[in-house]
Amino acid sequence: MELLNSEFFYDTSTIAIIAAALFAVFLIPMMVKSVPQGENWTVERFGRYSRTQKPGLRILVPLIERIGARINMMETVLNVGSQEVITKDNAMISADAIAFYQVVEAERAAYEVRDLVSALENLCQTNIRSVIGAMDLDESLSNRDSINAKLLSVIDKAVKPWGVKVTRIEIKDLLPPPDISDAMARQMKAEREKRAEILQAEGEKQSAILRAEGLKESQIREAEGRREAAFLDSEAREREAEAEAKATTMVSEAIAKGDIQAINYFVAQEYTKALGEVASAPNAKTIMMPLEAGSLIGSVAGIADLVANALKPNSEVSTAAESLEIERDTRI
């Protein structure tokens, strides 16, 4: 009897150990959970949301609580597929985009929307059609920043009830049809040719203006030169007239004093000038001079008398004149 009791106790303890081991093997993994960094897990009790577990080692009540959803809390990239969009002026273009979003409330992202990624993608496509459809073709192709800002504002407001924050959305490509692309290329070429012609015309205009200003400046400088030359010529003539007047005064005074040689001064001057003009004529080959050399010499002597009279006192003037007269008579 004692043997039977010991065997029964042995069997009962073995069963308990086996049961405890099975409990440890199956229930401990259900109780202890390790939430990785960058994720939040929702906990459901009897199928109903209970709480959200943050990263770290967490304990659950086995058979009562379980993990509902594993939500990635890091910023995620969403590629929005290409689609055909009709613009305001009925042009068809192909548009695709890329969006960056981040879950900020795990329980909302888990229970407010069934498929978060699909919902975000469809929402982006719908709003891309709405925003681009309100613009002309040229406006949509040249205002990507405006399109991105409008999309970000609308989509971020729409996904806020889902516990999601859209941080950025960018249009990757806007591709018009080939025929529209060719027309745009021709238009761009025409615009560039137009600008080139305008620039060339502006250059020619500026060049003509500069040439006219240069001609005007040169004419002004030339006129100023002529004015300065005329002024100098008039001054020279004035000085010459003054000299001539002084000479005439001297001769007149000499004549008044009875010096006949003063008249010979003017005669010799005109006589010599006439001979110079005859000798310098371009068609003059032979010069006939039916002149008396003594007359020219006499005139020169008269000039010498005038000079002597101007440089010496009156007493010496008559003596020098007499000596010159004797010398002239001797030479003749």
Side-chain angles (χ1 to χ4, degrees):
M1 187 67 180
E2 292 178 358
L3 181 61
L4 291 174
N5 290 333
S6 62
E7 290 179 356
F8 177 76
F9 179 76
Y10 176 76
D11 293 337
T12 303
S13 62
T14 302
I15 292 172
I17 293 172
I18 293 173
L22 291 175
F23 178 80
V25 169
F26 289 102
L27 293 182
I28 289 178
M30 297 175 62
M31 294 175 58
V32 180
K33 298 294 182 181
S34 177
V35 182
Q37 184 67 36
E39 291 186 2
N40 283 354
W41 291 0
T42 61
V43 177
E44 298 176 354
R45 179 174 295 178
F46 297 114
R48 184 178 180 181
Y49 169 75
S50 174
R51 64 186 181 277
T52 300
Q53 297 289 1
K54 304 295 182 180
L57 189 64
R58 305 299 175 187
I59 304 298
L60 301 179
V61 178
L63 303 177
I64 297 177
E65 296 179 340
R66 68 182 182 88
I67 300 298
R70 294 173 170 83
I71 305 300
N72 188 348
M73 305 298 291
M74 295 182 290
E75 189 171 3
T76 307
V77 180
L78 175 65
N79 285 311
V80 181
S82 178
Q83 60 178 331
E84 300 294 331
V85 181
I86 300 176
T87 62
K88 186 177 180 180
D89 52 354
N90 296 324
M92 184 75 68
I93 59 176
S94 177
D96 59 353
I98 184 170
F100 297 84
Y101 70 93
Q102 184 178 13
V103 177
V104 293
E105 297 181 43
E107 61 275 12
R108 287 179 176 271
Y111 300 109
E112 294 293 338
V113 59
R114 178 175 295 275
D115 188 349
L116 179 62
V117 175
S118 178
L120 285 173
E121 184 175 3
N122 283 278
L123 184 63
C124 290
Q125 289 181 341
T126 302
N127 283 278
I128 287 173
R129 288 195 295 268
S130 299
V131 172
I132 296 179
M135 297 181 176
D136 295 335
L137 177 61
D138 294 337
E139 185 181 2
S140 62
L141 293 177
S142 59
N143 293 327
R144 290 197 179 191
D145 292 339
S146 176
I147 295 174
N148 295 335
K150 290 181 180 179
L151 288 174
L152 180 61
S153 176
V154 173
I155 295 174
D156 183 57
K157 184 177 180 180
V159 301
K160 189 174 181 180
W162 301 343
V164 177
K165 174 68 176 177
V166 178
T167 57
R168 182 181 295 271
I169 184 167
E170 298 285 344
I171 296 294
K172 291 196 297 184
D173 287 320
L174 288 175
L175 301 177
D179 54 346
I180 296 180
S181 298
D182 294 340
M184 293 174 64
R186 292 194 299 271
Q187 180 182 2
M188 181 182 63
K189 181 179 179 181
E191 288 291 336
R192 292 184 180 276
E193 291 177 351
K194 176 183 176 181
R195 288 198 297 267
E197 292 178 356
I198 291 174
L199 290 176
Q200 184 177 359
E202 289 290 339
E204 293 176 354
K205 175 183 177 182
Q206 191 67 22
S207 177
I209 292 173
L210 292 176
R211 285 196 300 268
E213 290 181 352
L215 180 61
K216 175 183 176 182
E217 185 69 20
S218 64
Q219 291 176 350
I220 292 173
R221 295 293 179 86
E222 184 179 357
E224 290 178 352
R226 289 196 304 269
R227 185 182 65 178
E228 187 69 21
F231 177 76
L232 294 176
D233 290 341
S234 63
E235 186 177 1
R237 288 194 300 269
E238 182 180 355
R239 296 292 179 85
E240 184 179 0
E242 290 178 356
E244 188 70 21
K246 289 181 180 180
T248 304
T249 302
M250 292 175 62
V251 172
S252 299
E253 292 177 353
I255 294 173
K257 293 178 181 180
D259 192 355
I260 197 62
Q261 298 298 332
I263 300 176
N264 293 334
Y265 167 76
F266 288 102
V267 175
Q269 185 178 11
E270 298 298 328
Y271 194 74
T272 305
K273 185 185 297 186
L275 287 177
E277 293 177 356
V278 172
S280 62
N283 57 354
K285 302 300 182 182
T286 303
I287 300 174
M288 301 299 293
M289 298 179 61
L291 305 170
E292 294 181 0
S295 299
L296 180 60
I297 294 172
S299 299
V300 174
I303 297 172
D305 291 341
L306 290 176
V307 174
N309 291 332
L311 297 177
K312 293 181 180 181
N314 293 331
S315 59
E316 295 179 358
V317 171
S318 59
T319 305
E322 291 176 357
S323 61
L324 288 174
E325 185 70 23
I326 295 170
E327 185 180 355
R328 182 185 62 183
D329 295 336
T330 305
R331 290 179 180 177
I332 295 174

